[in-house]
Amino acid sequence: MSFANPRPRVAILVGSKGRGSNMACLIAGCQSGDVPAEAALVVTPRAGNPASLRAQECGVPVRELPPKGEAYADRLLALLRDERIDIVCLAGFMNLLPSEVVRAYEGRMLNIHPALLPKFGGKGMYGHHVHEAVIAAGETESGPTVHFVAERFDEGPILLQLKCPVLPDDTPESLAERVLELEHKAYPEALKRLIASHA
Ligand code: GRF
């Protein structure tokens, strides 16, 4: 299946407190031409958060849509349809998406998680909790996973993983930093692979 737009239009969903560093890497990849897609829209739960400000600086339209209430799924789907969005990337988006949204973008919606799924995923596994769990389990490797979004947290087929060592003296912060560096490589690369697979 190919995309509706010859240069696929990507929407990035960020979280309310999101730094937006993965979002910024996806936008940079699209704007430099490295990723053959257009960063067309950023959807934020809260206007004025760091991610929204970064998106605006990059010239990408930002829309505020709090992920709550009965009308959320319809409003999000209408927004994505109106903006002719082909691909959705979650980058720090913390909520479970309604199943109708997941189904509408099946195979065209990605998420990034800061550990090697299927380990260290699921409800409550976000931010420092993930890296604390990896260290507590005595893992010797960690790294980001880019996966297709399914109806449950951190499930769905894996598209790409990158690995780094977990060092004996790592803290959750030092490990998070090492993994984040790889996230910034993994997400644009995974988006390229998704687009190539639809060509
Ligand atoms: C990243 O660690 C990502 O793996 C997780 O949320 C974090 C978002 O960071 N899903 P940022 O806002 O992209 O900097």
Side-chain angles (χ1 to χ4, degrees):
M1 185 191 76
S2 60
F3 297 111
N5 297 291
R7 189 171 173 80
R9 288 171 62 80
V10 178
I12 305 167
L13 271 58
V14 298
S16 59
K17 295 185 190 151
R19 289 169 296 201
S21 71
N22 281 288
M23 174 209 75
C25 283
L26 291 172
I27 293 173
C30 293
Q31 292 184 341
S32 71
D34 179 44
V35 179
E38 185 179 348
L41 179 69
V42 167
V43 184
T44 178
R46 193 167 62 82
N49 63 347
S52 310
L53 299 177
R54 266 178 112 159
Q56 279 160 358
E57 280 165 20
C58 298
V60 177
V62 177
R63 291 287 300 270
E64 183 182 9
L65 185 58
K68 56 185 179 213
E70 277 183 14
Y72 174 63
D74 287 346
R75 292 176 68 194
L76 179 58
L77 283 173
L79 176 58
L80 298 174
R81 190 190 55 232
D82 291 349
E83 294 291 334
R84 296 174 293 114
I85 297 300
D86 298 294
I87 299 170
V88 176
C89 292
L90 310 186
F93 183 78
M94 301 293 286
N95 298 73
L96 205 53
L97 279 170
S99 50
E100 51 267 57
V101 178
V102 175
R103 283 199 298 269
Y105 278 86
E106 193 182 356
R108 300 185 293 144
M109 190 187 299
L110 300 177
N111 180 45
I112 188 158
H113 183 77
L116 297 171
L117 293 173
K119 285 178 165 181
F120 309 108
K123 196 166 164 52
M125 276 293 172
Y126 61 89
H128 64 96
H129 301 291
V130 176
H131 305 295
E132 279 165 12
V134 169
I135 291 170
E139 297 289 321
T140 55
E141 283 188 320
S142 191
T145 301
V146 182
H147 64 96
F148 291 97
V149 174
E151 293 190 26
R152 295 201 296 200
F153 278 119
D154 302 325
E155 295 190 6
I158 290 170
L159 182 53
L160 179 68
Q161 289 186 316
L162 295 180
K163 291 181 180 169
C164 61
V166 179
L167 302 176
D169 58 353
D170 260 331
T171 61
E173 292 75 26
S174 63
L175 180 57
E177 204 175 307
R178 196 174 307 119
V179 171
L180 188 65
E181 206 173 302
L182 288 183
E183 291 185 42
H184 296 161
K185 295 191 173 84
Y187 217 170
E189 178 58 31
L191 180 55
K192 279 160 75 170
R193 288 191 191 181
L194 169 63
I195 293 166
S197 75
H198 281 252

